[in-house]
Amino acid sequence: MARSTAARLLTEILGRELFRALRQKGGYSYTAAADYGPRDTDSATVIAFADALPEKQDAMVGAFVDVLAKVRAGRIDEADLKSVRASALAQFDLPELAGARLPAQAMDLLLRHRHLTVAEARAEVEAVTVADLRAAARELWANALVQVPGRALDWAGLTAAPAHSPDLVTGRRYSSLEDSRVALLVADDGISLTGPGRQTTVRYAACSLMHVYPDGARHLVGHDGFNLTVEPTMYGITAAELAPLDAGVPPSSVIRMPPRDPARIPRPGKRKTTAPVRRGWFTALLWILGIPALLVGGVTALSALFVFRTTDGEIPQDQAQVLLAGIIVSAMLLIPWGICVQRRKQGLS
């Protein structure tokens, strides 16, 4: 959210609502609270959380979402605002106020955010209205990410966030020295990590951050939040082979890191003797699709060449229909065959 006094007070109200609904009223949670903290110069992060025993998780999730919906709908009482406002104003009466404000002042200095004087901070707290809280609540909901224990929230209007990248790059494959099923794919436009149950891709043009370590390791974070780590020691990859990363990632996204403790640099252990990813049925499918596709395509091409040479460019209708059928059949075989070849190159089958 945007950093604001209204957002901070809203967080206090949200924490109180969660405590009342989930602990005092429902008895689903022992801990239910919300926390507000600066994220950067202009934005802040609000974290609302609750715990529950396994048998109460369904009820807890439902009650949690109900509280979010209540706040989102703007059902905020003036009495709640007065209560959190009084609590916020009471902080200005603490002894050694300057010392108590010092951590926040240091944070603002580091984040290049204007630090309010005591008078300015007090005035902002007093100026917050219920309308300000409702606007902040709408912003909170619009940017919310909800993490729940193993259940969907479609009924609440929330769609599941993707757990994997939608695609993989086509590039050189570097298998893990520990597990042949895990591999890095390095291409000119991006890098992918693939393995059992995982598929992560970061395109260089959409890379928000790349940590570069002197030992050659790279840690990339994409605009979509997906991230992957390249440990040369685990994949037998050289600095020259990582050149596409250094050339493709925008310089503004690169951060040079200090040397790591050698003990923290991972080393490959005993290689897992796992069966190769290549499956027999998939290899058979490649042959079943590929041979007819090449035969039909070749015969169609030769027939077309023969017809064009013997008819002076005017193809009889019956021959044209035969050629068209051959082209359609070839395409029906070649397209899935090409997709299968691509998956085999990426090590997916």
Side-chain angles (χ1 to χ4, degrees):
M1 302 178 62
R3 290 183 64 172
S4 69
T5 301
R8 184 161 54 86
L9 296 185
L10 174 70
T11 304
E12 292 291 329
I13 291 176
L14 177 60
R16 295 185 181 198
E17 288 282 357
L18 289 171
F19 185 82
R20 284 196 295 257
L22 276 65
R23 181 173 179 178
Q24 293 181 329
K25 182 179 178 180
Y28 310 128
S29 301
Y30 182 80
T31 301
D35 180 69
Y36 172 96
R39 181 180 181 88
D40 53 37
T41 305
D42 301 314
S43 62
T45 300
V46 174
I47 301 177
F49 54 93
D51 62 359
L53 294 173
E55 62 270 18
K56 294 185 177 181
Q57 286 179 357
D58 286 328
M60 182 273 289
V61 170
F64 193 100
V65 172
D66 287 344
V67 171
L68 291 179
K70 177 183 178 180
V71 174
R72 174 195 180 191
R75 298 201 301 273
I76 301 173
D77 295 333
E78 183 72 35
D80 286 332
L81 172 57
K82 289 180 179 180
S83 177
V84 297
R85 178 189 288 140
S87 177
L89 291 174
Q91 296 179 6
F92 298 116
D93 298 326
L94 293 173
E96 302 295 337
L97 178 60
R101 284 168 51 85
L102 188 58
Q105 185 174 358
M107 179 66 73
D108 288 341
L109 180 63
L110 290 172
L111 297 179
R112 299 177 182 177
H113 181 80
R114 188 176 76 87
H115 186 71
L116 301 178
T117 65
V118 173
E120 290 172 334
R122 183 188 294 273
E124 284 205 359
V125 171
E126 293 174 341
V128 173
T129 65
V130 172
D132 296 330
L133 296 178
R134 289 170 179 165
R138 289 191 293 270
E139 182 185 4
L140 173 68
W141 178 263
N143 298 326
L145 176 66
V146 184
Q147 183 177 358
V148 293
R151 47 187 48 76
L153 289 180
D154 296 344
W155 55 269
L158 298 168
T159 57
H164 307 283
S165 297
D167 57 6
L168 295 172
V169 302
T170 301
R172 184 169 179 181
R173 179 185 177 91
Y174 299 89
S175 295
S176 167
L177 299 180
E178 283 190 336
D179 189 345
S180 61
R181 299 173 300 171
V182 179
L184 284 172
L185 305 174
V186 180
D188 292 335
D189 62 334
I191 184 169
S192 296
L193 177 64
T194 179
R198 71 173 72 176
Q199 177 174 300
T200 304
T201 295
V202 177
R203 302 284 178 177
Y204 305 142
C207 181
S208 299
L209 170 69
M210 182 171 75
H211 284 147
V212 179
Y213 293 89
D215 56 74
R218 308 284 194 278
H219 181 75
L220 297 91
V221 181
H223 292 346
D224 55 7
F226 286 111
N227 65 90
L228 61 83
T229 299
V230 180
E231 294 285 0
T233 54
M234 300 301 293
Y235 295 92
I237 189 170
T238 65
E241 291 167 327
L242 288 175
L245 281 72
D246 300 326
V249 174
S252 59
S253 299
V254 177
I255 296 180
R256 303 286 173 180
M257 302 298 291
R260 295 189 290 179
D261 182 344
R264 301 191 64 180
I265 300 176
R267 305 291 177 184
K270 184 177 180 181
R271 187 178 179 88
K272 293 181 181 180
T273 56
T274 54
V277 175
R278 302 195 174 194
R279 301 176 177 87
W281 66 266
F282 195 84
T283 301
L285 180 62
L286 285 173
W287 286 100
I288 293 172
L289 292 173
I291 292 178
L294 294 176
L295 288 177
V296 175
V299 171
T300 302
L302 291 175
S303 300
L305 180 62
F306 175 79
V307 169
F308 274 111
R309 285 186 174 181
T310 57
T311 58
D312 297 328
E314 296 182 2
I315 306 176
Q317 184 176 359
D318 57 340
Q319 294 182 353
Q321 292 176 345
V322 172
L323 291 177
L324 179 61
I327 294 172
I328 293 174
V329 173
S330 299
M332 293 176 62
L333 294 171
L334 284 171
I335 291 175
W337 180 71
I339 295 174
C340 291
V341 170
Q342 183 77 358
R343 290 181 64 84
R344 172 55 58 88
K345 286 183 178 179
Q346 294 176 341
L348 297 178
S349 300

